[in-house]
Amino acid sequence: SRLQLSGLCFLLQILTIILFAVFVRYSPESSAELCSQQLNCSRRKPDSGFQHPRFRDGHLRALLGFGLLVAFLGRYGPGSVATSILTVAFAVQWAILIQGFLYFFLNGKIHVGAQSVVSADFCTAAILISAGAVLGRVNPVQMLLLTLLGVTLFSLNEYILLSLMGVSDSGGSLTVHTFGAYFGLMVSRILHQSHMDKRKDRQNVGPLSDVFAVIGTIYLWIFWPSFSSATTARDNTEPWAVLNTYFSLAASTMATFVLSPVLYEESTLRMVQIQDAALASTAVMGMPGEMLVTPFGALVAGFLAGLISLLGFRFLTPVLRSRLKIQDTCEVHNIHGLPGILGALLGTLLAALATADAYSGRLELVFPLVAQGSRTATDQALCQLCALPITLLLAAVGGCLVGALLKLKVLRSPPDPRYQESKVLWEV
């Protein structure tokens, strides 16, 4: 297994080095017009420098926010964090290549800059979400292959939605949270092994899980509002996405304190529940974050996301595990999947109600095709709505195919249960 990991890492890195050498160049100052014909040019706007906070916040969110999210397993904590770092390291490189061919390709070269790396960070976030569904049950070799194919499928889904259909999803309710969750869930379903999934002890949390949850929650609160606005339309609309995400965070956390004492007999809340509420609120704000014109809408959406997430933990998770044979290690269905769908439906409603008067001249930034007269608000809403089943279909089919590949005997860990633990692959 160690030789497989070393060889695969070597081959993938050599491949990316060759592709970078042939195709990738830094963007010239004149690259502002590269994406003028793209429907979602806001994601590929001119770079404002590598010191921009959105570039920094994206990496901190990926490495610290998600990294600490996967550190809770008692027997797999150190290994899961190391695998998360490995996933980020490869996913960023591969996403720059795949997205570059789709969005930044001009005169035979891929022009990259700070904004293209931010877009790659969004792709990485989706893969980390998918990894949460199979955490502790796949080895690093399988995780690298999941990343390789997942990044490709994510980029394809994003291109269909944002460029071909003109869907507005700047914060990734559909492209990041929904796709990442259900892609990972389908991989988990295909990888289901009844004799292995009965081992409850593997999911026992470590003694420092709540400490990790505290730190991860703080990082999510600090950095996710600005990260969720990293690909919004320039200038005027960015504060909407930042503030709406922040209001959603607050309301979702309050929902946790409202419903958790009712659903559970525990006298006090665990920090991990507050952490989950923070993630659910950001998932629901991915699409409507730049569309909501009043703060109370963000409060309502965040409150509903917190309630849905807790109800999913209490009632849907047992059904997924017992009836559908889906073992969701990090509960990505309740934290990312359901809130992401809620955000997509809310975005559809807001698109249908979009008018120039309501947006005070900012309609061109949020719904450019509606402002230009190419579409009516109803047509835009239909596109937003159709994007949901397309995302779910691509995630489900792609997850099944990737799961079938990862289930090949040559990629699976040895049958001895000892080899499933982190101490074999990582020094602890």
Side-chain angles (χ1 to χ4, degrees), residues 18-40:
I18 293 174
L19 292 175
F20 266 65
V22 175
F23 295 107
V24 179
R25 300 292 184 271
Y26 286 122
S27 298
E29 292 182 359
S30 60
S31 62
E33 302 300 324
L34 284 178
C35 64
S36 59
Q37 302 301 317
Q38 296 288 345
L39 297 179
N40 193 49

Side-chain angles (χ1 to χ4, degrees), residues 311-322 326 328 331 334:
L311 291 172
F313 276 114
R314 185 66 177 85
F315 299 108
L316 291 182
T317 297
V319 175
L320 290 177
R321 184 178 296 116
S322 61
I326 298 177
D328 185 4
E331 302 288 351
N334 305 310

